[in-house]
Amino acid sequence: MRHTPHYLLEDRDEVRRLVRENPWATIVSHVPDHGIVASHYPFLLDEEASTGDEIVLLSHVGRPDEQLHRLGESEVLVIVQGPHGYVSPSWYAPGDNIPTWNHVTTHLYGVPEILDDAENFRVLAHLTDHFERLVGESARSLALDEEYSRRVARGTVGLRLRVTRIDARRKLSQNKPAEVVDRIIDELEGDGPYAHDGLAREMRRVHDPRRS
């Protein structure tokens, strides 16, 4: 990503929040036989391990993606994309005619650790329970038919990624005066073609936490 100092996101707690709120991520590898390959899977923080400066991710891939990526052999990139959207120059002062795209994005790097079958199933169960917790009384669990769930789990490979480096950006109109920022937020909260409540909330976190 473009290295613009005032857009750097170096707060690890904010990176963790971004992962928690945006679990659908892209995993990218460079392998000799295929060049660059990418897949898309849900990633969760290993909350117990992700303390201090350390960030640890848990996920799985469906076979044979573990072979396609050659997981465990070299570094991979996991891209987590937060709220993003078009910012029209019509929201700026007259004479400022260059549009932009606001976003919150982090690139997380590390060498995946392949989980054994037992731990992979625990991660899959945790992943299911994590998302099903919002469903209420009709929530499902792998434990409802564990024998069948374990058979299905054999088609997946679990992984743990201890993040060794981070490249994160939070580009939210920090280069604009306060009155323009307020106008952008108002437009994002409106009913126009580029309205985006999630992006407006992210801008409030940066520019005026009292409004978030």
Side-chain angles (χ1 to χ4, degrees), residues 14 23 75:
E14 281 294 287
E75 185 179 64

Side-chain angles (χ1 to χ4, degrees), residues 128-181:
T128 303
D129 293 343
H130 174 81
F131 292 108
E132 284 290 303
R133 76 192 193 283
L134 301 179
V135 175
E137 294 181 359
S138 58
R140 304 290 176 88
S141 168
L142 299 189
L144 292 174
D145 189 346
E146 186 170 327
E147 181 179 354
Y148 174 74
S149 297
R150 287 186 180 277
R151 289 202 303 271
V152 174
R154 296 191 193 109
T156 70
V157 174
L159 63 93
R160 175 181 290 107
L161 184 74
R162 298 185 183 277
V163 175
T164 54
R165 58 190 178 104
I166 299 172
D167 185 13
R169 298 290 185 277
R170 182 164 55 185
K171 180 182 178 296
L172 299 172
S173 301
Q174 294 97 319
N175 61 330
K176 298 296 182 183
E179 63 271 15
V180 174
V181 169

Side-chain angles (χ1 to χ4, degrees), residues 57-122:
L57 306 179
L58 294 170
S59 188
H60 69 282
V61 300
R63 299 181 188 274
D65 269 9
E66 86 286 2
Q67 298 176 21
L68 177 66
H69 286 271
R70 296 196 178 179
L71 294 180
E73 297 183 16
S74 58
E75 185 179 64
V76 301
L77 161 65
V78 175
I79 302 172
V80 178
Q81 179 70 69
H84 61 91
Y86 181 73
V87 176
S88 169
S90 67
W91 306 343
Y92 299 161
D96 193 348
N97 302 319
I98 307 301
T100 193
W101 201 281
N102 279 359
H103 68 96
V104 186
T105 308
T106 186
H107 292 179
L108 305 171
Y109 299 84
V111 179
E113 168 195 346
I114 303 303
L115 306 181
D116 62 29
D117 290 345
E119 190 166 14
N120 178 41
F121 187 76
R122 286 195 295 272

